[in-house]
Amino acid sequence: MDAGSAIMESLDPMMVNGRDQDNLFLSSERQVRCNSSMITSIGSKTSIPDVVTHDLQSLNLHGGADDCRSFLLLDQNEQLSVDSGTSFCTKLGCDASSTGKVISILGNTGEGKSHTLNHTFFNGEEIFATSNQQDSCTSGVWTSFDPNLQVVVLDTEGMLGLASNENIRTRLLLKVLAVSDVVIYRTRAERLHNDLFYFLGDASKAYNKHFKQELNRMGEANSFSENFEHSVSSLGPTVIVFHETLHTDILSKSNGGDPEKTLRERFCALKQDISAFSKIRYVGTRSDVSGRTNFGILREALGKELSDSSIRSQRKITLVYQAFQLLNKKFSGNVIETSHCSFPDEYFTCAAKCQSCESRCGKQMNHTAEHTSGVGKKCIFSVQYENKIYTCQRCQENGRKCVVVPKAASSKEGSIVGLAKFAWSGFVLECQKCGVIYRSRQQWYGNTDPEHQGVVHTEIAHVWPGVRSLQGTQNAARRILDSMTAISGTVSDVSSAPAASLARWAADQVAPAYWRPNADIVSCHNCSKRFDSTDKIHHCRACGEGFCSSCSAFQRPVPERGWGFQAVRVCKPCYTATAQGVLEVTGPSLEPNEVQVRKVGETVYGTVSSLANALEFPISILKDSARPDYWVPDHEISECAVCDKAIGANAPSSQECTRVHHCRVCGQGVCNDCSKTRRPVPTRGWDTSVRVCDDCLMMPED
């Protein structure tokens, strides 16, 4: 007779009127008679009679308690107390050729694990020690053997209790779980706690990641069973959650739900993977007011699992010892102790992390100052962020800290001379106290970096979110572009007024007779806006008056003035004058040649303007190529970093000042109104006054 048949046969007296075992397990409000007494089924909410304990002890589920005493198998340091599989079988009281399954019990300290094993397998006899003291009565892993059921029973040390090293204890429990065929997770609580789900989820991950591979190798060498595909490493153990309550209802199908489905939904809600386990079963019991527990329903569930060989079949008892020995050999040694902390610093400190070393900021949440790491936390160098900080070595020795950055020219060299030297001698490192201390191409050949020359002291700095590069001061290309822009802007500012006057005079020479001369126009004919010397005056093709750009942004054909049927510029009053869009001409008759001359003039002007725009296009390409590393690219900028106003390509066409400017300190994109201040930024290699945004203006100068 196998173990499953033995345990099921021992439960036969509990059956009444030929009811099958499934009906006993699934019934929610039924009661079955046992030795003329009543016991509660798995889903029952009624109390258990006082005679339960006596009746359960009368069930002969073991082969003699005198031969089933337990002994310590693994101590708190994961050391085996026996040295061979034969010795293991001898201490268990079985033959070396005996086969069976392994059942273990896990849970928190004080949940009654040893008591549960004693009443489930040994008629309540104290095979595994129990105690009514505060100190835990089980240390390490204890084991015993039931020859009738052919079961190796493992009792474990409770979690959450006092231990010399809690991490070693947890690893020991995971080893027990990996070797077991059936794992009982004992919990005595009114509701299922999250620590149950987290532990089983972590155990499943550990089994899949570490234990399964090692047990697989052992299975290939020894084969845990005659059918290798059902070896212990193929599928993890069956987990039975044995839940005991006193005042609250247990999970049961009578309440319209599926207990196993409820457990899986809870695991899923906590994002725990339990794929390592072959089954997850729930066995619940509600104790009576005296606190007596119905262990019969647990025996019934175990009987079904022991009789089921479709997933796990029996193996030699010696192989159980070999499995422990293998896992001990592979996973042993010291484990770092972790101190318990209910309120870690992460709850109260800034969540920013260094982009180079992942260190957290050590300041409190929502701080306004710069991010800083904890004391003693050093960063690592990253080529992407160039997070090396150079300080002058001589100043460092004299007790000063002068940061030096690579730049195109020294502060005493003019733009043209400095850029010429940069092309010939490379970048420079200049100390505010000692002057130029290094040039990258000082010699024709054999130049070394500043660290090897001993002129700088190097520190590795943290790179906090929002920082693209700590150095990023290779700004020679940008300085050239800024010089060209400055020259172009100066020429444009100086020549804009004369050029506008000349353009107005030329336009009057080719204007039709009905157009008001530019010299006579002082303000817009519609909105009365006064024209500056550089403002452009537009003429309505219908009435000939002068208008600003906004009041003449309309188009319609004006054939009555000789402009044909192609839409041309007209003012707002003329556009809406008649429903047909045609005005009665009251002015002087128009000679066709006059309009033709104006059309030729507009064509020539349009061609020149297109050529000017084509010449401006390479400048925009050069601008991005000349961008220092710490500048945010133009295509990533949609709004001003200071005032959040839309700038760049996302700015509406009606908005003025949409151009993107860059702050020379932080590299963020800002609008013109928020970056009107100019000051030197030596930490970024700008020795002359350059654009600085209003946010950086509030920071002290370096």
Side-chain angles (χ1 to χ4, degrees):
M1 181 183 301
D2 60 9
S5 301
I7 196 170
M8 296 308 296
E9 185 179 70
S10 66
L11 292 171
D12 283 344
M14 301 176 67
M15 304 305 168
V16 179
N17 297 329
R19 293 176 180 172
D20 56 21
Q21 298 144 3
D22 290 336
N23 288 335
L24 174 66
F25 180 74
L26 297 176
S27 64
S28 60
E29 297 296 338
R30 299 176 189 172
Q31 293 183 332
V32 295
R33 188 172 304 275
C34 175
N35 292 338
S36 302
S37 299
M38 302 296 291
I39 67 172
T40 305
S41 65
I42 182 172
S44 174
K45 301 179 183 178
T46 59
S47 61
I48 304 174
D50 297 339
V51 75
V52 167
T53 302
H54 176 271
D55 289 341
L56 292 178
Q57 289 178 357
S58 67
L59 297 176
N60 184 19
L61 297 182
H62 60 89
D66 294 338
D67 299 326
C68 297
R69 296 299 176 184
S70 62
F71 67 92
L72 179 65
L73 176 61
L74 286 159
D75 61 17
Q76 286 184 323
N77 297 320
E78 302 177 292
Q79 298 298 317
L80 286 164
S81 63
V82 291
D83 54 5
S84 66
T86 304
S87 300
F88 178 61
C89 291
T90 301
K91 295 199 72 171
L92 285 176
C94 65
D95 189 77
S97 60
S98 299
T99 61
K101 289 189 175 184
V102 180
I103 295 180
S104 62
I105 190 166
L106 306 175
N108 294 331
T109 184
E111 297 285 3
K113 299 183 299 301
S114 302
H115 180 75
T116 299
L117 293 180
N118 290 335
H119 282 271
T120 303
F121 294 97
F122 306 107
N123 291 346
E125 187 172 355
E126 194 166 338
I127 300 300
F128 296 103
T130 60
S131 172
N132 59 0
Q133 303 298 319
Q134 281 293 322
D135 295 335
S136 176
C137 57
T138 303
S139 176
V141 178
W142 291 70
T143 183
S144 185
F145 181 70
D146 190 327
N148 278 359
L149 301 180
Q150 294 296 108
V151 171
V152 176
V153 184
L154 300 176
D155 188 16
T156 62
E157 182 177 350
M159 294 177 286
L160 302 183
L162 182 64
S164 57
N165 191 319
E166 188 174 350
N167 293 332
I168 291 181
R169 178 177 62 191
T170 303
R171 185 172 64 185
L172 178 59
L173 296 179
L174 293 179
K175 292 178 184 179
V176 172
L177 182 144
V179 174
S180 302
D181 297 297
V182 180
V183 176
I184 305 169
Y185 193 102
R186 178 73 159 100
T187 177
R188 190 159 52 187
E190 298 304 317
R191 294 174 180 84
L192 295 175
H193 297 162
N194 280 350
D195 59 348
L196 180 156
F197 298 94
Y198 283 126
F199 175 81
L200 293 177
D202 292 340
S204 174
K205 288 185 229 174
Y207 184 90
N208 285 330
K209 188 174 182 180
H210 304 291
F211 297 137
K212 184 175 182 179
Q213 183 178 4
E214 296 303 319
L215 294 176
N216 217 0
R217 292 173 184 169
M218 181 178 175
E220 293 174 358
N222 300 288
S223 179
F224 281 89
S225 64
E226 295 179 359
N227 189 355
F228 175 71
E229 65 179 355
H230 296 316
S231 66
V232 70
S233 57
S234 299
L235 288 172
T238 296
V239 175
I240 297 178
V241 177
F242 184 40
H243 182 205
E244 179 184 358
T245 67
L246 181 61
H247 302 291
T248 58
D249 293 336
I250 60 174
L251 302 179
S252 64
K253 293 185 177 180
S254 63
N255 296 330
D258 184 353
E260 280 73 25
K261 182 180 179 182
T262 302
L263 289 181
R264 293 186 179 277
E265 290 175 350
R266 184 82 172 269
F267 278 111
C268 183
L270 295 175
K271 300 180 180 179
Q272 297 299 309
D273 176 25
I274 53 172
S275 60
F277 304 132
S278 55
K279 289 182 187 177
I280 293 285
R281 293 195 58 183
Y282 176 84
V283 176
T285 178
R286 184 171 177 178
S287 303
D288 63 2
V289 292
S290 300
R292 286 169 295 197
T293 307
N294 180 11
F295 296 105
I297 54 176
L298 177 59
R299 281 199 297 271
E300 180 189 5
L302 289 172
K304 291 182 179 180
E305 295 304 322
L306 290 175
S307 61
D308 184 8
S309 298
S310 61
I311 298 177
R312 290 289 191 98
S313 57
Q314 292 187 357
R315 46 185 154 140
K316 287 186 176 181
I317 304 301
T318 55
L319 293 181
V320 176
Y321 172 82
Q322 292 181 21
F324 276 117
Q325 191 178 42
L326 174 68
L327 296 180
N328 256 10
K329 183 178 179 181
K330 183 68 177 179
F331 308 106
S332 61
N334 294 328
V335 180
I336 299 176
E337 295 186 34
T338 55
S339 58
H340 174 73
C341 181
S342 297
F343 302 101
D345 291 341
E346 287 77 5
Y347 289 5
F348 313 103
T349 56
C350 177
K353 286 187 177 181
C354 172
Q355 300 176 77
S356 181
C357 68
E358 298 293 326
S359 295
R360 284 178 63 101
C361 174
K363 293 190 175 181
Q364 291 186 348
M365 286 183 172
N366 303 319
H367 64 89
T368 56
E370 293 184 354
H371 299 292
T372 56
S373 63
V375 179
K377 293 184 179 180
K378 295 184 178 180
C379 193
I380 58 176
F381 176 70
S382 171
V383 177
Q384 177 183 358
Y385 299 107
E386 290 288 339
N387 55 334
K388 280 185 179 181
I389 301 297
Y390 292 146
T391 56
C392 177
Q393 181 66 32
R394 184 182 299 175
C395 293
Q396 186 86 7
E397 294 171 355
N398 293 330
R400 299 189 300 266
K401 185 176 181 180
C402 294
V403 178
V404 294
V405 295
K407 53 185 181 180
S410 67
S411 58
K412 296 182 179 180
E413 295 171 344
S415 299
I416 304 300
V417 175
L419 293 175
K421 283 189 176 182
F422 171 76
W424 181 261
S425 302
F427 69 85
V428 301
L429 295 178
E430 183 181 18
C431 174
Q432 295 179 357
K433 302 291 184 181
C434 307
V436 176
I437 60 175
Y438 176 79
R439 282 191 180 272
S440 61
R441 292 197 298 270
Q442 184 70 37
Q443 310 295 332
W444 284 98
Y445 63 91
N447 294 287
T448 58
D449 56 44
E451 297 171 88
H452 286 84
Q453 289 190 15
V455 297
V456 295
H457 174 75
T458 306
E459 297 178 2
I460 307 300
H462 293 283
V463 185
W464 301 108
V467 177
R468 306 181 69 91
S469 174
L470 289 181
Q471 291 189 7
T473 52
Q474 300 291 354
N475 53 16
R478 182 65 207 186
R479 290 180 64 174
I480 294 174
L481 194 61
D482 285 348
S483 300
M484 295 173 59
T485 304
I487 295 173
S488 174
T490 302
V491 172
S492 176
D493 291 341
V494 172
S495 61
S496 58
S501 300
L502 183 61
R504 291 177 180 178
W505 176 84
D508 286 341
Q509 306 307 309
V510 296
Y514 73 99
W515 280 21
R516 184 181 296 277
N518 286 308
D520 298 341
I521 300 175
V522 178
S523 60
C524 174
H525 188 69
N526 184 50
C527 65
S528 302
K529 175 186 175 182
R530 293 188 63 85
F531 292 115
D532 294 334
S533 58
T534 57
D535 290 337
K536 189 171 183 179
I537 301 174
H538 299 279
H539 284 80
C540 173
R541 270 56 172 174
C543 64
E545 296 292 342
F547 298 89
C548 64
S549 178
S550 300
C551 295
S552 59
F554 304 91
Q555 289 188 336
R556 71 169 180 84
V558 188
E560 67 276 13
R561 291 293 195 181
W563 294 95
F565 292 95
Q566 184 177 2
V568 291
R569 182 187 295 270
V570 294
C571 64
K572 185 176 182 180
C574 292
Y575 182 77
T576 57
T578 61
Q580 294 79 16
V582 179
L583 292 176
E584 296 181 3
V585 180
T586 57
S589 60
L590 185 64
E591 295 291 337
N593 289 338
E594 295 180 4
V595 175
Q596 189 66 27
V597 171
R598 176 62 191 182
K599 287 183 177 180
V600 171
E602 289 180 352
T603 303
V604 173
Y605 182 78
T607 303
V608 174
S609 299
S610 300
L611 180 60
N613 292 334
L615 292 175
E616 289 179 1
F617 178 74
I619 299 297
S620 63
I621 301 298
L622 287 175
K623 179 182 177 182
D624 189 66
S625 302
R627 175 178 57 84
D629 293 339
Y630 71 98
W631 281 21
V632 180
D634 286 8
H635 66 272
E636 296 181 10
I637 300 173
S638 59
E639 59 185 19
C640 174
V642 178
C643 66
D644 298 332
K645 182 175 68 175
I647 54 176
N650 293 334
S653 57
S654 59
Q655 178 180 310
E656 298 182 359
C657 301
T658 61
R659 182 179 174 186
V660 175
H661 300 278
H662 284 83
C663 171
R664 269 51 172 178
V665 177
C666 62
Q668 296 292 330
V670 292
C671 65
N672 182 65
D673 293 337
C674 297
S675 59
K676 293 183 177 181
T677 305
R678 304 292 186 271
R679 80 177 189 192
V681 187
T683 57
R684 293 295 193 180
W686 308 94
D687 296 313
T688 57
S689 296
V690 289
R691 185 185 298 270
V692 178
C693 71
D694 293 347
D695 284 350
C696 294
L697 185 64
M698 305 302 295
M699 300 171 59
E701 296 189 34
D702 296 322

